[in-house]
Amino acid sequence: MFLAAVIQLTSTADVDRNLGDVETLVGRASKYGASLVATPENVNFLGPAEDKVKRAETLEGPTCRFFADLARRHGIILLLGSFNERGSTPERCRNTSVLFGRDGSILAVYRKIHLFDVDYSDSVRYLESKTVEPGDQTVVAATDLGRIGLSICYDLRFADLYRRLVKEGAEILCVPAAFTMQTGRDHWQALLRARAIECQSYVLAPAQFGRHDDPGLRESFGHAMIVDPWGHVVAMASDGPGLALAEIDLDRVATIRRAIPVRDYD
């Protein structure tokens, strides 16, 4: 059993301020005793999509170096929810999640597969694929805390992805997000609980909250939370930057999977 934390941020186009907020909240989570800390999608920059492409970095760039140092300094497993990684062409970047070990090494890298291309209303209209190239690989990381399946935000709507992660051994599912205010009000918690119940896994969902500098993604719903494998929300952040903490008991995952062996039908 160990303590995990999910962080809630309000990232903007001010990279230094964003990373300063990350440093403060990760430090707070570590002081509480969290061994696994997860940050949201678009941690380093949430401004105009075109600027995100211009600012794209490699895995050896300043954002990853910052997170590696933070993980090493606190001796924790740390999830960089996502950052703008340099793509294969100058026109598009990747929306990339990186898991760091206690020594600052990279344990796993996941590139967002399902891109947020929606036209729901004037307030929810976004074409992520215009500036982001999709990934094509599922990722489960073996750590000393358990096996962690990676995903990002809009992936949450695609249940088959999470079933694949469980088949690959995932016991904990991470869903760093910047869910819109409009869809988040009705869908965020329902989808997170559904993924936890059907996958019989813990779900860690760090989140962006509030207004950003991206005209396509103007406001995020927040409500960063941790859901247990029975579907109970065991921790949730309040409004504004902050964090939520909960104990993770992988024996509970094993018990529930034995009691209701849904994987036998896969």
Side-chain angles (χ1 to χ4, degrees):
M1 187 179 292
F2 63 90
L3 194 65
V6 292
I7 283 177
Q8 185 162 285
L9 295 172
T10 304
S11 294
T12 64
D14 188 338
V15 174
D16 289 341
R17 198 207 74 177
N18 298 338
L19 296 183
D21 290 344
V22 169
E23 186 168 22
T24 297
L25 289 167
V26 169
R28 188 184 305 169
S30 177
K31 286 181 180 177
Y32 283 134
S35 301
L36 171 60
V37 181
T39 65
E41 182 182 25
N42 297 316
V43 166
N44 63 323
F45 181 82
L46 234 175
E50 295 77 13
D51 290 346
K52 185 160 56 177
V53 177
K54 294 175 185 175
R55 291 173 174 267
E57 308 168 19
T58 67
L59 293 171
E60 294 75 35
T63 299
C64 284
R65 290 201 304 270
F66 172 86
F67 272 80
D69 177 69
L70 207 52
R72 187 166 46 245
R73 198 186 326 154
H74 293 288
I76 59 174
I77 294 176
L78 178 62
L79 180 71
L80 192 178
S82 84
F83 81 112
N84 37 307
E85 183 194 9
R86 194 171 297 165
S88 60
T89 68
E91 293 77 26
R92 295 196 295 176
C93 61
R94 298 185 180 104
N95 192 343
T96 300
S97 189
V98 186
L99 188 67
F100 293 90
R102 301 175 192 273
D103 61 355
S105 63
I106 292 179
L107 301 179
V109 178
Y110 168 73
R111 280 102 183 181
K112 187 177 183 181
I113 293 173
H114 302 99
L115 302 183
F116 187 55
D117 287 0
V118 299
D119 189 0
Y120 175 70
S121 69
D122 286 344
S123 57
V124 185
R125 182 172 289 129
Y126 202 77
L127 192 66
E128 189 175 21
S129 63
K130 183 178 180 181
T131 55
V132 176
E133 62 180 76
D136 59 6
Q137 300 289 323
T138 54
V139 175
V140 176
T143 77
D144 60 4
L145 296 177
R147 295 183 64 84
I148 300 172
L150 303 184
S151 68
I152 299 173
C153 199
Y154 193 56
D155 284 331
L156 181 60
R157 294 185 180 274
F158 299 86
D160 287 352
L161 170 64
Y162 296 91
R163 298 292 289 174
R164 294 208 307 272
L165 293 174
V166 170
K167 283 184 181 180
E168 293 169 18
E171 303 160 291
I172 301 164
L173 303 170
C174 289
V175 192
F179 234 71
T180 69
M181 176 62 72
Q182 291 74 17
T183 58
R185 279 193 297 247
D186 296 323
H187 298 168
W188 173 241
Q189 185 174 140
L191 288 167
L192 290 170
R193 293 189 65 215
R195 297 296 87 85
I197 292 166
E198 66 198 11
C199 294
Q200 300 172 316
S201 303
Y202 280 93
V203 175
L204 274 55
Q208 292 282 352
F209 170 87
R211 298 192 67 83
H212 313 291
D213 295 331
D214 185 338
L217 180 62
R218 285 172 284 187
E219 188 172 10
S220 293
F221 179 63
H223 294 74
M225 67 180 73
I226 298 174
V227 186
D228 80 0
W230 195 252
H232 293 306
V233 178
V234 291
M236 182 187 297
S238 186
D239 291 346
L243 52 86
L245 301 105
E247 289 183 334
I248 306 299
D249 181 3
L250 296 186
D251 287 342
R252 181 162 169 75
V253 173
T255 298
I256 290 171
R257 289 180 177 182
R258 281 196 303 269
I260 308 177
V262 295
R263 290 184 299 164
D264 290 352
Y265 292 89
D266 289 341

